[in-house]
Amino acid sequence: MSLEAARAAFRDAARAIDPDTFTGQTTPEILRAWLCVQTVRTPPKWIGAASAACQALDLTRIPDAEVAPWVEAFCLGWVQQASGPFRNAARALMPRLANHWRSVPALLGWWRITGEPAPLKRALEALALASDAVDPELAVALRLGFLATADPVLLDRALRALGDAPSTLPPRAWPAAVDLLDLGPDDFGDALAALPSPPPPEMLPAAGALAAPPLHLDVHWWLVDELREGPMAEAATFPWPALRIRFKRLPERDQIHFFASLGDAPREELEDVGVAAPWLESLVARADKSPLLDGMPARVRRRGGLRR
């Protein structure tokens, strides 16, 4: 029942912001929602709407408090469409990012698509200075720091920041909680039942993390530098709403290895780490996405490109 509620929330929230009929103000949440829908739907209108909105923005009029969420959204856009305005818009706003943990998703987003080391350094320094309070937004940032470093200290801090009641978390933190705590739709049953109609746009990534078949990615590594290179960037930013990543340190020196499975399918190993994104795309292409669609074909493929 909760699984169908998550699927319905995804469909209803997507319908409410369909670019063909949407007339509201574009926000970072709308942009992220459009990009999330594009991960499971064939028509390019969702990424097209995000690109057009990016081009239409007057970046000089974005308030300082909104710079970080916009940069994060632009970097997510570049992950899905490595052309167009997303990277240039993010680059223009990067100098305005505050040295604060709330900038971490934006800083790490820029680091992922460019490989520039300075944003990673800034993000990790900001996380080191953050308190250990229970704060869902901080949990999101700490999880991203963990995915960048495989540092168990950041993982422990992220778990503590989520608190003891994941069902009461805001939608923004649902994907992090689903990944870190191995949660499923039943864990959010009450929250799903209480959603307004239609659900707000920020529910799309949240519902997608519950409704899409989980893509399990195991990363076996020895050299920390390999966690900061292109193949890991492709894997960590692969645009699938239910991506769940686990790290395992190899017992002896070896190159990085990726293992993945979609849902309950057998685990597969990637033989050539240089093609991480196409490999993951081939896995999710097998998924039945029909529960997340509105009368569209069940089998769809992601449109996208690589970033760096």
Side-chain angles (χ1 to χ4, degrees):
M1 191 68 175
S2 296
L3 175 58
E4 179 49 43
R7 291 167 170 172
F10 188 95
R11 295 191 302 266
D12 293 347
R15 192 179 303 116
I17 59 166
D18 189 314
D20 291 339
T21 56
F22 180 74
T23 58
Q25 180 180 1
T26 305
T27 63
E29 291 73 26
I30 292 290
L31 208 67
R32 289 199 297 265
W34 279 334
L35 295 169
C36 182
V37 176
Q38 190 67 74
T39 65
V40 297
R41 297 196 177 181
T42 300
K45 65 181 180 181
W46 308 90
I47 188 73
S51 178
C54 177
Q55 294 179 75
L57 278 172
D58 182 350
L59 301 179
T60 65
R61 297 177 65 88
I62 292 177
D64 289 344
E66 297 179 13
V67 166
W70 275 116
V71 171
E72 179 191 5
F74 294 150
C75 291
L76 292 173
W78 180 261
V79 166
Q80 291 199 43
Q81 188 181 70
S83 63
F86 296 115
R87 184 160 162 162
N88 287 339
R91 179 185 290 110
L93 292 178
M94 281 293 295
R96 295 176 56 194
L97 279 178
N99 290 319
H100 191 276
W101 65 259
R102 293 189 183 277
S103 298
V104 165
L107 288 166
L108 292 181
W110 182 255
W111 167 66
R112 289 293 195 190
I113 68 172
T114 66
E116 296 176 6
L120 173 63
K121 183 175 183 290
R122 284 180 63 189
L124 296 180
E125 289 174 348
L127 290 176
L129 294 173
S131 70
D132 283 329
V134 174
D135 186 323
E137 288 284 342
L138 177 58
V140 171
L142 287 164
R143 172 180 172 267
L144 292 174
F146 168 66
L147 295 182
T149 61
D151 183 346
V153 173
L154 292 175
L155 173 60
D156 289 343
R157 291 181 63 200
L159 292 170
R160 291 198 300 271
L162 283 173
D164 298 325
S167 63
T168 65
L169 292 170
R172 166 76 165 156
W174 285 22
V178 168
D179 179 17
L180 295 178
L181 299 173
D182 286 322
L183 302 180
D186 290 343
D187 296 294
F188 294 87
D190 291 342
L192 288 166
L195 287 175
S197 181
E202 58 265 29
M203 273 307 305
L204 275 159
L210 297 170
L215 177 60
H216 302 277
L217 177 65
D218 295 332
V219 181
H220 295 196
W221 64 282
W222 175 261
L223 293 174
V224 70
D225 286 348
E226 288 191 305
L227 298 177
R228 303 179 178 183
E229 294 177 352
M232 188 63 216
E234 287 192 18
T237 61
F238 183 73
W240 184 249
L243 179 63
R244 307 188 185 192
I245 298 178
R246 298 291 179 269
F247 292 101
K248 181 178 180 180
R249 188 74 187 269
L250 291 166
E252 57 187 20
R253 186 183 181 98
D254 196 358
Q255 73 169 13
I256 196 167
H257 293 272
F258 295 135
F259 301 85
S261 62
L262 183 71
D264 297 328
R267 193 173 72 157
E268 301 180 20
E269 181 176 4
L270 174 61
E271 295 183 0
D272 179 2
V273 297
V275 292
W279 173 61
L280 293 172
E281 184 173 355
S282 73
L283 295 180
V284 301
R286 308 169 194 171
D288 178 11
K289 305 178 185 69
S290 56
L292 304 179
L293 311 182
D294 279 331
M296 284 183 266
R299 297 268 176 196
V300 301
R301 291 182 62 85
R302 176 178 61 90
R303 291 172 58 91
L306 182 59
R307 288 73 75 188
R308 293 189 180 175

